[in-house]
Amino acid sequence: MTNKIYKLEKLILLKQKAAYQEIPLSASEPAFKAHARKKQSLFRQMVLGIPYDPKHKFGKYGAFLMEPFASLGYNFCDVYRSYILNGIKERYAKMNVVLHEGLMGNMLRSEHIPWNVFYPMNLDKQATLTLLKEILKTDEIDKITDIRIEWAPEKEEALDDNTSFDTYIEYIYNGKECGVGIEVKYTEEGYPFGKLERKRVMEEEDSLYAIKTRQCGLYTNEINNRRLSETLLCKDDYRQIWRNHLLGATMVMNGQIDRFHSITLYPNGNTHFKKVLPEYEKLLSEYGKATFGYITIEKLILLICKHFEMNEKNKQWVDYLNTRYPFI
């Protein structure tokens, strides 16, 4: 695999400038998405060595895995593939077509990233502990107890909606359960309202969103003194970051955990989140800033190298992550 990776990385460097000049799928699509699609298509071709279907609605773009390769788990790191596929089977009793296409087939979305990046960390929780301490800039973690992918507390015990953490790391400090919720992005940007969400956010000032936002202590007085619908939190660019941060804060308020941190993981090439995350941070109180952070995939890979034993298996894992995800 090492020779294939070197060959791919060399090709990426040679074609980097040209990749930016590719025509986006639509006038509204940013250049970084076209660049990321090129990277994933090259990965499929040169590392995985599998074909694509130019007639398929998604496969024609080159960054979508066709059958049987999708079902066989080719969207996941080969050295941990069996472990990851077992985890997916445990997590999803049944997988509908949309979930299957997004997780197993689509190389460009972020659904597979938590499984490739965080799920293998379950196998070395001590290394994960030291890594997490560095990310959070704290020594106040005694033990990592679990790493869950796409997890949320029961709706009735939280925001009564479908908000969930892409990755949730449960840990113990001073005998008390705490949590880190990680939102993972790749080519995603903001997202438009759903019908029910719009009603609860923009029309119902007594909704759980509005009440918990004022109560949680995460936000500045300028945010708390306005109607929720008048704040930047409701805008497409910030709404998912806000809801994930608020979900964790609600767990603290409800006594489910003692403390919570919200982290967003994104590639350096995603210019949207490079801009939006610092802007969201300006909306936070001092307490809110202390419970919020963000890190690039590139930086996280360096921390994995630092904190995990670099045996042959983990070297191949890191090579995979380095080859697959950064695209600038």
Side-chain angles (χ1 to χ4, degrees), residues 252-283:
V252 173
M253 287 190 286
N254 290 348
Q256 294 163 278
I257 56 177
D258 186 60
R259 58 179 68 180
F260 174 81
H261 288 83
S262 178
I263 301 292
T264 301
L265 176 72
Y266 68 103
N268 188 57
N270 187 318
T271 52
H272 173 82
F273 278 98
K274 191 182 289 189
K275 173 178 177 288
V276 165
L277 290 164
E279 291 176 348
Y280 172 79
E281 199 168 20
K282 292 176 183 177
L283 308 177

Side-chain angles (χ1 to χ4, degrees), residues 28-250:
S28 61
E29 184 188 56
F32 78 80
K33 281 194 177 182
H35 198 186
R37 189 186 314 108
K38 180 73 170 182
K39 176 74 178 271
Q40 293 305 309
S41 185
L42 286 169
F43 186 90
R44 172 196 51 74
Q45 176 189 352
M46 300 189 67
V47 175
L48 300 180
I50 58 178
Y52 77 107
D53 183 353
K55 297 179 181 179
H56 188 273
K57 60 178 179 177
F58 299 129
K60 61 185 177 182
Y61 302 123
F64 191 89
L65 298 177
M66 309 309 298
E67 294 298 345
F69 304 103
S71 292
L72 289 172
Y74 275 67
N75 217 5
F76 305 103
C77 177
D78 52 353
V79 295
Y80 284 116
R81 187 173 293 156
S82 294
Y83 178 66
I84 291 169
L85 290 176
N86 285 335
I88 289 172
K89 192 178 296 185
E90 290 176 10
R91 172 62 184 82
Y92 304 106
K94 220 171 188 181
M95 193 177 291
N96 61 33
V97 173
V98 173
L99 177 60
H100 187 275
E101 288 182 344
L103 176 61
M104 309 296 287
N106 198 325
M107 301 178 72
L108 208 55
R109 290 182 59 84
S110 61
E111 282 93 330
H112 56 274
I113 296 178
W115 291 100
N116 279 328
V117 174
F118 294 107
Y119 196 67
M121 293 184 186
N122 261 314
L123 298 173
D124 191 345
K125 291 187 174 67
Q126 186 57 39
T128 304
L129 183 148
T130 60
L131 179 146
L132 197 59
K133 281 183 175 181
E134 183 161 351
I135 292 174
L136 300 182
K137 299 180 175 63
T138 183
D139 287 323
E140 297 181 346
I141 303 174
D142 294 330
K143 181 183 180 182
I144 302 290
T145 50
D146 201 9
I147 301 173
R148 305 169 195 154
I149 307 300
E150 198 184 342
W151 179 85
E154 293 295 326
K155 288 183 182 181
E156 297 75 16
E157 298 175 2
L159 297 176
D160 196 27
D161 66 1
N162 293 321
T163 305
S164 64
F165 305 113
D166 292 331
T167 300
Y168 182 78
I169 301 179
E170 179 185 277
Y171 70 92
I172 302 296
Y173 178 65
N174 275 348
K176 295 180 178 179
E177 188 178 304
C178 309
V180 178
I182 303 172
E183 182 70 11
V184 178
K185 303 297 183 184
Y186 193 57
T187 58
E188 293 88 347
E189 300 177 87
Y191 73 98
F193 272 116
K195 187 175 180 181
L196 180 59
E197 182 190 28
R198 176 183 290 279
K199 181 178 179 182
R200 291 184 61 190
V201 171
M202 302 301 288
E203 299 174 17
E204 299 177 2
E205 194 53 31
D206 60 347
S207 71
L208 266 179
Y209 293 142
I211 294 168
K212 296 296 185 183
T213 297
R214 287 192 292 267
Q215 290 177 344
C216 67
L218 295 178
Y219 301 100
T220 62
N221 288 334
E222 184 179 357
I223 295 290
N224 292 332
N225 292 335
R226 290 185 177 188
R227 291 175 59 88
L228 179 59
S229 58
E230 297 172 352
T231 70
L232 288 175
L233 300 177
C234 302
K235 302 297 183 183
D236 290 354
D237 285 349
Y238 307 100
R239 200 165 54 253
Q240 191 167 25
I241 307 168
W242 157 61
R243 282 175 52 177
N244 275 268
H245 201 178
L246 184 63
L247 176 59
T250 299

